[in-house]
Amino acid sequence: MPFSSFRVKSIEYVIRFSSAQKRFESRNKQSHIIGLKCSGNATHTLSDRKMRLNAGDVYFLNRAEDYIVDQIYPGMSFSVHFTTYEPIELKGFSIPAGDTAAVLNLLERIERSYLKKGTNAESLYLLYKLFALFGEIYGRKYHPTDKKLMDAKEYMNLHFKDKDCVDRAVELYGISRRRFCDLFKAAYSVTPNRYLTLKKIELAKSLLAGGELTVEETGELCGFSDVYYFSKTFKKETGLTPTDYKKNRP
């Protein structure tokens, strides 16, 4: 779930981009890019690979990677440019979206919110929802073939609120904790402990969006030891306090 580990610093801009140039370069970018190829197709040549973007593809472009674009058929891309507190390890990619309507809907909502108020609680909330959707699309395309690791991850999905969750998952796999952590991070781009934190935060988002529980009740149900630690962790991961997230839910 690589997108769940992103900690957004700011949304730089939201843009519907098209170019008449058949070839152009993108170097020394200041922000990461996430978006949808709405029409046309193009090839992105990076230092170690080529990436084809076709109409209906979602894509992520890491600011650390320079590339040359060759347009095969000019078209339009709809994207969000954003910065994060830490570098992102995930390499750029393009994947058929499947349900482009859901992606387009979120992009349009982010655009409306950003044009009104810039980077704000609502636009960040919607961007994190877009990350979650991209995570689902990415997960359907790329998945580990290690059955025991997948079983351990499934155990963690079911027991992520338990204090001994990682220890039990390691026992289930049957290897050393250090080796398990290395394999888990290689497969899912996140450490086991961070994965559990992100699972708790995702549950917290869902509960807060419901609007029926207090912040204290939400933290307790998500497995946090106290409300202060819950609030601190939630803001660190989302850029919003639980109270702000609850107030700004669509």
Side-chain angles (χ1 to χ4, degrees), residues 146 148-149 152 166-184 192:
D146 187 332
K148 292 176 69 176
L149 185 61
V166 175
D167 291 333
R168 297 300 299 273
V170 170
E171 291 176 8
L172 181 64
Y173 195 106
I175 56 176
S176 71
R177 185 185 178 101
R178 181 174 181 177
R179 179 60 178 158
F180 176 79
C181 291
D182 288 343
L183 290 174
F184 194 95

Side-chain angles (χ1 to χ4, degrees), residues 78-233:
F78 192 1
S79 59
V80 179
H81 295 233
F82 64 96
T83 57
T84 54
Y85 287 100
E86 300 94 8
I88 294 175
E89 296 181 4
L90 181 66
K91 287 188 173 184
F93 68 85
S94 62
I95 304 173
D99 182 8
T100 57
V103 177
L104 187 60
N105 176 264
L106 277 172
L107 285 168
E108 289 174 340
R109 292 168 68 190
I110 295 169
E111 180 184 48
R112 287 196 297 269
S113 178
Y114 179 76
L115 289 176
K116 288 179 181 178
K117 304 177 184 177
T119 301
N120 63 87
E122 182 187 34
S123 61
L124 285 174
Y125 174 93
L126 293 168
L127 181 56
Y128 281 114
K129 289 195 71 172
L130 184 65
F131 288 163
L133 180 56
F134 268 59
E136 293 175 9
I137 297 170
Y138 185 90
R140 289 196 295 268
K141 177 71 175 181
Y142 304 105
H143 57 83
T145 56
D146 187 332
K147 179 64 167 58
K148 292 176 69 176
L149 185 61
M150 294 175 71
D151 289 343
K153 179 173 177 264
E154 183 58 28
Y155 176 86
M156 292 169 66
N157 288 339
L158 295 173
H159 301 277
F160 64 89
K161 292 182 285 184
D162 298 347
K163 290 184 178 180
D164 63 348
C165 182
V166 175
D167 291 333
R168 297 300 299 273
V170 170
E171 291 176 8
L172 181 64
Y173 195 106
I175 56 176
S176 71
R177 185 185 178 101
R178 181 174 181 177
R179 179 60 178 158
F180 176 79
C181 291
D182 288 343
L183 290 174
F184 194 95
K185 185 174 182 181
Y188 300 108
S189 303
V190 66
T191 66
N193 284 331
R194 184 87 192 284
Y195 181 79
L196 296 183
T197 297
L198 295 172
K199 289 290 293 183
K200 292 177 182 179
I201 295 299
E202 285 304 308
L203 176 59
K205 288 178 182 178
S206 177
L207 295 175
L208 290 169
E212 298 177 357
L213 300 175
T214 66
V215 171
E216 291 82 359
E217 291 170 335
T218 300
E220 183 177 353
L221 286 173
C222 294
F224 288 93
S225 55
D226 61 72
V227 67
Y228 173 77
Y229 178 61
F230 167 54
S231 297
K232 181 180 178 181
T233 304

